[in-house]
Amino acid sequence: QVQLVESGGGLVQPGGSLRLSCAASGSIFSINAMGWYRQAPGKERELIARIHSGGSTNYADPVKGRFTISRDNAKKTVSLQMNSLIPEDTAVYYCYAKIQPYLVRAEYDYWGQGTQVSVSS
């Protein structure tokens, strides 16, 4: 059973920093793209950062220059370093990964359980 487990959410003041982490486990043959989504109350879930298996990255405009995504292929983890946080960053953050399980000749999308990030004074 493939599973993604997130950690690192919490409450932080504007201008502060948080680091989110996500670990994949289970019967995994390979991991392609990994990324982070977020969803604020009353808004649709949006992709904020993505990292390909080759290391290339993409960021949504609101977080460019402030957030950094990284991955450790040996540990099967992806992280999101969030700096200069603003109240608009308040949302539930979800880890995402496109994974090919063992003995399956296809890739599927997997999601973490979500972790709350709140930015306020």
Short mmCIF file of all heavy atoms in Angstrom, two decimals, residues 51-103:
data_model
loop_
_atom_site.label_atom_id
_atom_site.label_comp_id
_atom_site.label_asym_id
_atom_site.label_seq_id
_atom_site.Cartn_x
_atom_site.Cartn_y
_atom_site.Cartn_z
N ILE A 51 8.45 19.33 -8.53
CA ILE A 51 9.81 18.95 -8.84
C ILE A 51 9.78 17.63 -9.59
O ILE A 51 9.18 16.66 -9.15
CB ILE A 51 10.70 18.89 -7.58
CG1 ILE A 51 12.14 18.56 -7.96
CG2 ILE A 51 10.16 17.91 -6.55
CD1 ILE A 51 13.12 18.80 -6.82
N HIS A 52 10.44 17.60 -10.74
CA HIS A 52 10.48 16.42 -11.59
C HIS A 52 11.55 15.46 -11.08
O HIS A 52 12.42 15.83 -10.28
CB HIS A 52 10.76 16.84 -13.04
CG HIS A 52 10.47 15.79 -14.05
ND1 HIS A 52 11.44 14.95 -14.54
CD2 HIS A 52 9.31 15.43 -14.66
CE1 HIS A 52 10.90 14.12 -15.41
NE2 HIS A 52 9.62 14.39 -15.51
N SER A 53 11.49 14.24 -11.56
CA SER A 53 12.48 13.25 -11.15
C SER A 53 13.90 13.67 -11.53
O SER A 53 14.85 13.30 -10.84
CB SER A 53 12.16 11.89 -11.77
OG SER A 53 12.16 11.96 -13.19
N GLY A 54 14.03 14.46 -12.60
CA GLY A 54 15.33 14.95 -13.01
C GLY A 54 15.82 16.17 -12.26
O GLY A 54 16.95 16.60 -12.48
N GLY A 55 14.97 16.74 -11.40
CA GLY A 55 15.37 17.86 -10.57
C GLY A 55 14.84 19.21 -10.99
O GLY A 55 15.00 20.18 -10.25
N SER A 56 14.25 19.32 -12.16
CA SER A 56 13.70 20.60 -12.58
C SER A 56 12.49 20.96 -11.72
O SER A 56 11.77 20.08 -11.25
CB SER A 56 13.31 20.58 -14.06
OG SER A 56 12.32 19.60 -14.30
N THR A 57 12.26 22.26 -11.53
CA THR A 57 11.22 22.74 -10.63
C THR A 57 10.33 23.76 -11.30
O THR A 57 10.72 24.42 -12.27
CB THR A 57 11.82 23.36 -9.36
OG1 THR A 57 12.67 24.45 -9.73
CG2 THR A 57 12.63 22.33 -8.59
N ASN A 58 9.11 23.88 -10.78
CA ASN A 58 8.17 24.90 -11.19
C ASN A 58 7.48 25.45 -9.95
O ASN A 58 7.20 24.70 -9.01
CB ASN A 58 7.12 24.34 -12.15
CG ASN A 58 7.71 23.79 -13.42
OD1 ASN A 58 7.87 22.59 -13.57
ND2 ASN A 58 8.04 24.68 -14.35
N TYR A 59 7.20 26.75 -9.96
CA TYR A 59 6.55 27.41 -8.84
C TYR A 59 5.41 28.27 -9.34
O TYR A 59 5.49 28.90 -10.40
CB TYR A 59 7.53 28.29 -8.07
CG TYR A 59 8.66 27.54 -7.42
CD1 TYR A 59 9.88 27.40 -8.08
CD2 TYR A 59 8.52 26.99 -6.16
CE1 TYR A 59 10.92 26.72 -7.48
CE2 TYR A 59 9.56 26.30 -5.57
CZ TYR A 59 10.76 26.17 -6.23
OH TYR A 59 11.80 25.49 -5.64
N ALA A 60 4.35 28.34 -8.55
CA ALA A 60 3.29 29.28 -8.81
C ALA A 60 3.77 30.69 -8.50
O ALA A 60 4.59 30.90 -7.60
CB ALA A 60 2.06 28.94 -7.97
N ASP A 61 3.26 31.67 -9.23
CA ASP A 61 3.72 33.05 -9.08
C ASP A 61 3.67 33.57 -7.64
O ASP A 61 4.61 34.25 -7.21
CB ASP A 61 2.93 33.97 -9.99
CG ASP A 61 3.32 33.82 -11.45
OD1 ASP A 61 4.42 33.30 -11.72
OD2 ASP A 61 2.52 34.23 -12.31
N PRO A 62 2.60 33.29 -6.87
CA PRO A 62 2.55 33.87 -5.52
C PRO A 62 3.66 33.41 -4.58
O PRO A 62 3.89 34.08 -3.57
CB PRO A 62 1.18 33.42 -5.00
CG PRO A 62 0.37 33.16 -6.22
CD PRO A 62 1.35 32.60 -7.21
N VAL A 63 4.33 32.31 -4.88
CA VAL A 63 5.35 31.79 -3.97
C VAL A 63 6.75 31.86 -4.54
O VAL A 63 7.71 31.50 -3.84
CB VAL A 63 5.03 30.34 -3.54
CG1 VAL A 63 3.61 30.24 -3.00
CG2 VAL A 63 5.24 29.37 -4.70
N LYS A 64 6.91 32.31 -5.77
CA LYS A 64 8.23 32.41 -6.37
C LYS A 64 9.13 33.33 -5.56
O LYS A 64 8.74 34.42 -5.17
CB LYS A 64 8.12 32.91 -7.81
CG LYS A 64 7.59 31.90 -8.79
CD LYS A 64 7.56 32.46 -10.21
CE LYS A 64 7.06 31.42 -11.19
NZ LYS A 64 6.97 31.96 -12.56
N GLY A 65 10.33 32.86 -5.32
CA GLY A 65 11.29 33.63 -4.55
C GLY A 65 11.17 33.46 -3.06
O GLY A 65 12.06 33.90 -2.32
N ARG A 66 10.09 32.83 -2.60
CA ARG A 66 9.88 32.65 -1.16
C ARG A 66 9.90 31.17 -0.76
O ARG A 66 10.36 30.85 0.34
CB ARG A 66 8.55 33.26 -0.73
CG ARG A 66 8.46 34.76 -0.98
CD ARG A 66 7.21 35.35 -0.34
NE ARG A 66 5.98 34.79 -0.90
CZ ARG A 66 5.08 34.12 -0.20
NH1 ARG A 66 5.24 33.93 1.10
NH2 ARG A 66 3.98 33.65 -0.80
N PHE A 67 9.40 30.30 -1.63
CA PHE A 67 9.33 28.87 -1.33
C PHE A 67 10.36 28.12 -2.16
O PHE A 67 10.65 28.49 -3.31
CB PHE A 67 7.95 28.30 -1.66
CG PHE A 67 6.84 28.78 -0.76
CD1 PHE A 67 7.03 29.80 0.16
CD2 PHE A 67 5.58 28.20 -0.85
CE1 PHE A 67 6.00 30.24 0.97
CE2 PHE A 67 4.54 28.62 -0.04
CZ PHE A 67 4.75 29.64 0.87
N THR A 68 10.88 27.04 -1.61
CA THR A 68 11.83 26.19 -2.32
C THR A 68 11.44 24.73 -2.12
O THR A 68 11.31 24.27 -0.98
CB THR A 68 13.27 26.41 -1.82
OG1 THR A 68 13.64 27.78 -1.99
CG2 THR A 68 14.23 25.54 -2.62
N ILE A 69 11.28 24.01 -3.22
CA ILE A 69 10.95 22.59 -3.16
C ILE A 69 12.22 21.78 -3.41
O ILE A 69 13.08 22.16 -4.21
CB ILE A 69 9.85 22.22 -4.17
CG1 ILE A 69 9.37 20.78 -3.95
CG2 ILE A 69 10.31 22.43 -5.60
CD1 ILE A 69 8.13 20.42 -4.77
N SER A 70 12.34 20.66 -2.72
CA SER A 70 13.48 19.78 -2.90
C SER A 70 13.04 18.34 -2.66
O SER A 70 11.97 18.09 -2.09
CB SER A 70 14.63 20.15 -1.95
OG SER A 70 14.23 20.04 -0.60
N ARG A 71 13.86 17.39 -3.11
CA ARG A 71 13.52 15.98 -2.91
C ARG A 71 14.79 15.18 -2.65
O ARG A 71 15.88 15.55 -3.09
CB ARG A 71 12.77 15.41 -4.10
CG ARG A 71 13.56 15.35 -5.40
CD ARG A 71 12.67 15.01 -6.59
NE ARG A 71 12.28 13.61 -6.61
CZ ARG A 71 11.38 13.10 -7.46
NH1 ARG A 71 10.77 13.89 -8.33
NH2 ARG A 71 11.10 11.80 -7.41
N ASP A 72 14.62 14.10 -1.93
CA ASP A 72 15.69 13.16 -1.65
C ASP A 72 15.21 11.81 -2.19
O ASP A 72 14.36 11.16 -1.58
CB ASP A 72 15.98 13.09 -0.16
CG ASP A 72 17.19 12.24 0.16
OD1 ASP A 72 17.45 11.24 -0.54
OD2 ASP A 72 17.90 12.57 1.14
N ASN A 73 15.73 11.41 -3.33
CA ASN A 73 15.25 10.20 -3.98
C ASN A 73 15.58 8.94 -3.17
O ASN A 73 14.81 7.98 -3.18
CB ASN A 73 15.83 10.09 -5.38
CG ASN A 73 15.29 11.15 -6.32
OD1 ASN A 73 14.14 11.58 -6.19
ND2 ASN A 73 16.10 11.57 -7.27
N ALA A 74 16.71 8.94 -2.49
CA ALA A 74 17.08 7.78 -1.69
C ALA A 74 16.12 7.58 -0.53
O ALA A 74 15.77 6.44 -0.18
CB ALA A 74 18.50 7.91 -1.18
N LYS A 75 15.70 8.68 0.09
CA LYS A 75 14.78 8.60 1.22
C LYS A 75 13.32 8.66 0.80
O LYS A 75 12.44 8.51 1.66
CB LYS A 75 15.07 9.73 2.21
CG LYS A 75 16.44 9.65 2.86
CD LYS A 75 16.64 10.78 3.86
CE LYS A 75 17.99 10.69 4.53
NZ LYS A 75 18.20 11.79 5.50
N LYS A 76 13.05 8.91 -0.47
CA LYS A 76 11.69 9.02 -0.99
C LYS A 76 10.93 10.13 -0.27
O LYS A 76 9.79 9.94 0.18
CB LYS A 76 10.94 7.70 -0.89
CG LYS A 76 11.58 6.55 -1.65
CD LYS A 76 10.70 5.31 -1.58
CE LYS A 76 11.33 4.13 -2.31
NZ LYS A 76 12.55 3.64 -1.61
N THR A 77 11.55 11.28 -0.15
CA THR A 77 10.93 12.41 0.52
C THR A 77 10.94 13.64 -0.38
O THR A 77 11.79 13.79 -1.26
CB THR A 77 11.63 12.75 1.84
OG1 THR A 77 13.00 13.09 1.58
CG2 THR A 77 11.57 11.58 2.80
N VAL A 78 10.00 14.53 -0.12
CA VAL A 78 9.96 15.84 -0.75
C VAL A 78 9.68 16.86 0.34
O VAL A 78 8.92 16.58 1.28
CB VAL A 78 8.88 15.90 -1.86
CG1 VAL A 78 7.49 15.64 -1.31
CG2 VAL A 78 8.93 17.25 -2.59
N SER A 79 10.33 18.01 0.25
CA SER A 79 10.20 19.04 1.26
C SER A 79 9.84 20.37 0.61
O SER A 79 10.09 20.59 -0.57
CB SER A 79 11.50 19.20 2.06
OG SER A 79 11.82 18.00 2.75
N LEU A 80 9.27 21.25 1.41
CA LEU A 80 8.93 22.60 0.97
C LEU A 80 9.39 23.57 2.04
O LEU A 80 8.82 23.60 3.14
CB LEU A 80 7.43 22.75 0.72
CG LEU A 80 6.99 24.09 0.13
CD1 LEU A 80 7.48 24.23 -1.30
CD2 LEU A 80 5.47 24.23 0.19
N GLN A 81 10.43 24.34 1.74
CA GLN A 81 10.91 25.38 2.62
C GLN A 81 10.14 26.66 2.31
O GLN A 81 10.20 27.15 1.19
CB GLN A 81 12.40 25.60 2.46
CG GLN A 81 12.98 26.71 3.33
CD GLN A 81 12.92 26.38 4.80
OE1 GLN A 81 13.25 25.27 5.21
NE2 GLN A 81 12.48 27.34 5.61
N MET A 82 9.44 27.20 3.30
CA MET A 82 8.60 28.37 3.12
C MET A 82 9.17 29.52 3.94
O MET A 82 9.19 29.45 5.18
CB MET A 82 7.16 28.07 3.52
CG MET A 82 6.55 26.88 2.79
SD MET A 82 4.80 26.62 3.19
CE MET A 82 4.94 26.18 4.93
N ASN A 83 9.61 30.56 3.26
CA ASN A 83 10.17 31.74 3.91
C ASN A 83 9.31 32.96 3.62
O ASN A 83 8.50 32.98 2.70
CB ASN A 83 11.60 31.99 3.42
CG ASN A 83 12.55 30.87 3.75
OD1 ASN A 83 12.42 30.21 4.78
ND2 ASN A 83 13.53 30.65 2.88
N SER A 84 9.51 34.00 4.42
CA SER A 84 8.78 35.27 4.25
C SER A 84 7.28 35.04 4.13
O SER A 84 6.61 35.59 3.25
CB SER A 84 9.31 36.01 3.01
OG SER A 84 10.70 36.26 3.12
N LEU A 85 6.75 34.26 5.04
CA LEU A 85 5.35 33.88 4.97
C LEU A 85 4.43 35.08 5.19
O LEU A 85 4.73 35.98 5.98
CB LEU A 85 5.04 32.80 6.00
CG LEU A 85 5.57 31.41 5.63
CD1 LEU A 85 5.64 30.51 6.85
CD2 LEU A 85 4.69 30.78 4.55
N ILE A 86 3.32 35.09 4.48
CA ILE A 86 2.31 36.13 4.57
C ILE A 86 0.96 35.49 4.88
O ILE A 86 0.78 34.28 4.68
CB ILE A 86 2.23 36.95 3.26
CG1 ILE A 86 1.90 36.04 2.07
CG2 ILE A 86 3.54 37.68 3.02
CD1 ILE A 86 1.73 36.77 0.76
N PRO A 87 0.00 36.27 5.39
CA PRO A 87 -1.29 35.68 5.74
C PRO A 87 -1.98 34.94 4.59
O PRO A 87 -2.70 33.97 4.84
CB PRO A 87 -2.11 36.89 6.20
CG PRO A 87 -1.10 37.84 6.74
CD PRO A 87 0.09 37.67 5.84
N GLU A 88 -1.75 35.38 3.36
CA GLU A 88 -2.35 34.72 2.21
C GLU A 88 -1.84 33.30 1.99
O GLU A 88 -2.42 32.55 1.20
CB GLU A 88 -2.12 35.56 0.94
CG GLU A 88 -2.93 36.85 0.89
CD GLU A 88 -2.38 37.94 1.80
OE1 GLU A 88 -1.22 37.83 2.26
OE2 GLU A 88 -3.10 38.92 2.04
N ASP A 89 -0.76 32.94 2.66
CA ASP A 89 -0.26 31.57 2.58
C ASP A 89 -1.05 30.60 3.45
O ASP A 89 -0.82 29.39 3.38
CB ASP A 89 1.22 31.52 2.98
CG ASP A 89 2.11 32.28 2.02
OD1 ASP A 89 1.86 32.23 0.80
OD2 ASP A 89 3.06 32.93 2.50
N THR A 90 -1.93 31.11 4.28
CA THR A 90 -2.73 30.25 5.16
C THR A 90 -3.59 29.30 4.34
O THR A 90 -4.39 29.73 3.50
CB THR A 90 -3.61 31.10 6.08
OG1 THR A 90 -2.78 31.89 6.94
CG2 THR A 90 -4.49 30.21 6.95
N ALA A 91 -3.42 28.01 4.56
CA ALA A 91 -4.14 26.99 3.80
C ALA A 91 -3.78 25.62 4.35
O ALA A 91 -2.88 25.48 5.18
CB ALA A 91 -3.76 27.07 2.31
N VAL A 92 -4.50 24.61 3.87
CA VAL A 92 -4.10 23.23 4.07
C VAL A 92 -3.17 22.85 2.92
O VAL A 92 -3.52 23.02 1.76
CB VAL A 92 -5.30 22.28 4.14
CG1 VAL A 92 -4.83 20.84 4.29
CG2 VAL A 92 -6.21 22.66 5.30
N TYR A 93 -2.01 22.33 3.25
CA TYR A 93 -1.01 21.97 2.26
C TYR A 93 -0.99 20.46 2.08
O TYR A 93 -0.95 19.71 3.06
CB TYR A 93 0.37 22.48 2.68
CG TYR A 93 0.53 23.96 2.49
CD1 TYR A 93 -0.16 24.87 3.29
CD2 TYR A 93 1.37 24.47 1.49
CE1 TYR A 93 -0.03 26.24 3.10
CE2 TYR A 93 1.51 25.83 1.31
CZ TYR A 93 0.81 26.71 2.11
OH TYR A 93 0.95 28.07 1.92
N TYR A 94 -0.99 20.03 0.81
CA TYR A 94 -1.05 18.62 0.47
C TYR A 94 0.18 18.21 -0.33
O TYR A 94 0.53 18.85 -1.32
CB TYR A 94 -2.30 18.30 -0.36
CG TYR A 94 -3.60 18.54 0.36
CD1 TYR A 94 -4.23 19.78 0.29
CD2 TYR A 94 -4.20 17.53 1.09
CE1 TYR A 94 -5.42 20.01 0.94
CE2 TYR A 94 -5.40 17.74 1.74
CZ TYR A 94 -6.01 18.99 1.66
OH TYR A 94 -7.21 19.21 2.30
N CYS A 95 0.78 17.13 0.07
CA CYS A 95 1.86 16.52 -0.70
C CYS A 95 1.27 15.69 -1.84
O CYS A 95 0.22 15.05 -1.68
CB CYS A 95 2.70 15.64 0.23
SG CYS A 95 4.00 14.69 -0.58
N TYR A 96 1.95 15.68 -2.97
CA TYR A 96 1.52 14.94 -4.15
C TYR A 96 2.69 14.19 -4.76
O TYR A 96 3.83 14.69 -4.76
CB TYR A 96 0.92 15.91 -5.18
CG TYR A 96 0.91 15.38 -6.60
CD1 TYR A 96 -0.10 14.53 -7.04
CD2 TYR A 96 1.92 15.72 -7.48
CE1 TYR A 96 -0.10 14.04 -8.32
CE2 TYR A 96 1.93 15.22 -8.77
CZ TYR A 96 0.91 14.39 -9.19
OH TYR A 96 0.92 13.91 -10.47
N ALA A 97 2.42 13.02 -5.30
CA ALA A 97 3.45 12.27 -6.01
C ALA A 97 2.81 11.39 -7.06
O ALA A 97 1.76 10.80 -6.84
CB ALA A 97 4.28 11.41 -5.05
N LYS A 98 3.47 11.31 -8.22
CA LYS A 98 3.08 10.38 -9.27
C LYS A 98 3.99 9.16 -9.17
O LYS A 98 5.20 9.27 -9.37
CB LYS A 98 3.18 11.03 -10.64
CG LYS A 98 2.66 10.17 -11.78
CD LYS A 98 2.75 10.90 -13.13
CE LYS A 98 1.76 12.02 -13.20
NZ LYS A 98 0.36 11.53 -13.24
N ILE A 99 3.40 8.02 -8.87
CA ILE A 99 4.15 6.83 -8.47
C ILE A 99 3.72 5.63 -9.30
O ILE A 99 2.53 5.42 -9.55
CB ILE A 99 3.95 6.54 -6.97
CG1 ILE A 99 4.54 7.67 -6.12
CG2 ILE A 99 4.55 5.20 -6.58
CD1 ILE A 99 4.26 7.55 -4.65
N GLN A 100 4.71 4.83 -9.69
CA GLN A 100 4.45 3.52 -10.28
C GLN A 100 4.67 2.47 -9.20
O GLN A 100 5.80 2.27 -8.76
CB GLN A 100 5.36 3.26 -11.47
CG GLN A 100 5.11 1.91 -12.12
CD GLN A 100 6.02 1.63 -13.30
OE1 GLN A 100 6.79 2.50 -13.71
NE2 GLN A 100 5.94 0.43 -13.84
N PRO A 101 3.62 1.78 -8.78
CA PRO A 101 3.80 0.72 -7.79
C PRO A 101 4.51 -0.50 -8.39
O PRO A 101 4.54 -0.67 -9.61
CB PRO A 101 2.37 0.36 -7.38
CG PRO A 101 1.52 1.50 -7.87
CD PRO A 101 2.21 2.00 -9.09
N TYR A 102 5.06 -1.32 -7.52
CA TYR A 102 5.63 -2.58 -7.97
C TYR A 102 4.57 -3.46 -8.62
O TYR A 102 3.41 -3.49 -8.18
CB TYR A 102 6.26 -3.33 -6.80
CG TYR A 102 7.73 -3.07 -6.61
CD1 TYR A 102 8.18 -2.32 -5.54
CD2 TYR A 102 8.67 -3.58 -7.50
CE1 TYR A 102 9.53 -2.08 -5.36
CE2 TYR A 102 10.02 -3.33 -7.33
CZ TYR A 102 10.44 -2.58 -6.27
OH TYR A 102 11.79 -2.34 -6.09
N LEU A 103 4.95 -4.14 -9.69
CA LEU A 103 4.10 -5.10 -10.40
C LEU A 103 2.92 -4.44 -11.12
O LEU A 103 1.99 -5.14 -11.52
CB LEU A 103 3.60 -6.19 -9.44
CG LEU A 103 4.67 -6.95 -8.66
CD1 LEU A 103 4.04 -7.98 -7.75
CD2 LEU A 103 5.67 -7.61 -9.61
#
